[in-house]
Amino acid sequence: MPHDFQNLMPAIALRTAHPPLPQAPGPVGVDPFGCTADRLSDDQALIGKDVQFYRKSSLGKRATQVEMPATDRGVLLGVSLRGGHRRRIFDGRHGRTHDFDNGAIYLRSLAVDYKADFCSDFDFMLVEISRTFIERVAIERGAATPELQPLAAHADPVLAHLAHAMVPLLQHPEQACQLFVDQLSLAIGAHLVHRYGHGTALPEDGGKSLRRLPPRSVERAKEMLAARFDGNLSVGEVADACQLSRSHFTRAFRESTGQTPHQWLIERRLERAYALLRDTDLPLAEVAVSCGFCDQSHFTRVFSRATGVTPGVWRRGAAG
């Protein structure tokens, strides 16, 4: 797995509380991707400014065909969340059949008309990415703006892992952390530019993009993160305060602290939780809210993952 993604992986299992991201309106008739509403068993969405995540599945409700006219919305990445899907994709009058294993992807420009016959049920994570976002990621990584290579039924373990990380957030949008969603979007964009950009090499720049943040910028970033303990803070806001691009800031913060911004914030929450559990008699539900978790259940999951014991067991051990 490329270096850029290795240190991001531990944060993916964590879910942090904040007010839900804006949701797409429920489909009426046919959705923006040509799927008929009554043929979908799952239809979930997290909508951002430049990157939008959807889960679309037809399990038990056979979808037979989709048609989508060209738009200027950017590119669409589809990641199959289970194996066994087959579809016939048409190019004019000619069609080609593709079999999608679990984790197989397709990638296409939304500026081209699309038509496909579905030969079986499907379960896909769709990531709609604006052209502006792709251009910005390419520039920040020192590459020319690429035309992304169209693909169908192509194995990509990195994108499969990132797509599966979004599943619980689409199921529980109230637990979606803006900081984490931003980081995941940047990881997906960087991987697409690096792996599928036509003729776009990403040469090493002598470590310039991975250099550490100046101490003043590190402290500024930490102050901003700590001040928004619920995690409802975007990478872009912190990066702007440090006068850096988002991807440069995320990499440089990790080089400086050994953690992504999201991981650093989780550790600070846990530190506050240790102090409250040890020094106060606050109920666990109040400790959870005071530390930026959405509820006691969420607090218990994160705490147990970090320590190996529940908050109640930890508190009894600290008192004894």
Side-chain angles (χ1 to χ4, degrees):
M1 187 177 296
H3 173 77
D4 281 357
F5 304 103
Q6 289 177 333
N7 291 330
L8 181 61
M9 294 303 109
I12 284 177
L14 300 176
R15 287 182 280 166
T16 307
H18 86 105
L21 296 174
Q23 300 260 340
V28 177
V30 177
D31 74 7
F33 303 102
C35 296
T36 305
D38 61 4
R39 298 289 185 175
L40 294 173
S41 56
D42 281 295
D43 189 7
Q44 304 162 340
L46 281 175
I47 307 301
K49 179 182 178 182
D50 291 313
V51 182
Q52 305 177 14
F53 294 90
Y54 303 85
R55 185 179 183 181
K56 305 277 185 179
S57 63
S58 67
L59 306 183
K61 296 186 176 185
R62 179 64 61 83
T64 56
Q65 188 180 84
V66 296
E67 290 189 62
M68 181 180 173
T71 81
D72 60 357
R73 291 181 355 223
V75 299
L76 184 66
L77 166 68
V79 184
S80 183
L81 299 177
R82 56 182 291 165
H85 173 61
R86 172 177 287 185
R87 70 175 62 180
R88 186 167 180 80
I89 301 174
F90 292 90
D91 182 4
R93 297 189 202 175
H94 303 287
R96 182 176 178 184
T97 300
H98 301 272
D99 291 300
F100 286 79
D101 294 328
N102 187 1
I105 73 167
Y106 69 79
L107 182 64
R108 67 182 184 87
S109 169
L110 292 173
V112 179
D113 290 341
Y114 183 78
K115 179 180 177 181
D117 287 341
F118 291 163
C119 309
S120 62
D121 289 347
F122 64 87
D123 188 6
F124 271 77
M125 182 70 65
L126 303 182
V127 188
E128 182 179 322
I129 308 171
S130 73
R131 180 68 180 174
T132 299
F133 185 83
I134 292 294
E135 291 173 350
R136 188 164 62 241
V137 169
I139 291 170
E140 290 173 353
R141 294 182 62 80
T145 301
E147 290 297 328
L148 297 179
Q149 173 188 354
L151 300 164
H154 176 77
D156 190 314
V158 172
L159 291 176
H161 193 107
L162 295 174
H164 277 281
M166 281 301 300
V167 170
L169 297 185
L170 285 166
Q171 292 172 335
H172 302 285
E174 73 281 358
Q175 295 184 3
C177 173
Q178 183 68 56
L179 199 61
F180 172 67
V181 174
D182 280 355
Q183 290 177 193
L184 197 62
S185 299
L186 286 168
I188 290 171
H191 184 72
L192 289 175
V193 169
H194 172 62
R195 187 77 182 273
Y196 304 116
H198 274 315
T200 303
L202 296 178
E204 293 296 329
D205 58 3
K208 180 180 179 181
S209 64
L210 293 176
R211 66 188 181 190
R212 295 174 180 269
L213 289 173
R216 183 176 298 177
S217 294
V218 173
E219 292 308 310
R220 175 62 177 150
K222 289 179 177 180
E223 287 174 3
M224 292 184 68
L225 291 168
R228 300 277 283 277
F229 225 53
D230 60 359
N232 190 20
L233 177 73
S234 71
V235 170
E237 290 178 79
V238 187
D240 287 346
C242 295
Q243 298 183 325
L244 295 171
S245 69
R246 291 181 296 176
S247 59
H248 188 173
F249 165 74
T250 300
R251 291 194 298 268
F253 186 92
R254 187 168 61 234
E255 287 294 309
S256 301
T257 66
Q259 299 171 304
T260 67
H262 182 255
Q263 291 170 324
W264 185 89
L265 185 61
I266 289 294
E267 189 169 288
R268 302 292 79 73
R269 288 178 176 173
L270 290 174
E271 287 177 354
R272 179 180 290 186
Y274 299 146
L276 291 177
L277 291 172
R278 183 182 60 245
D279 302 332
T280 76
D281 295 324
L282 284 175
L284 294 182
E286 292 186 29
V287 173
V289 173
S290 297
C291 295
F293 299 98
C294 64
D295 54 33
Q296 183 176 335
S297 175
H298 180 217
F299 170 48
T300 298
R301 288 196 301 273
V302 175
F303 191 96
S304 299
R305 189 180 298 120
T307 65
V309 297
T310 65
V313 170
W314 191 94
R315 170 177 267 174
R316 289 192 291 273

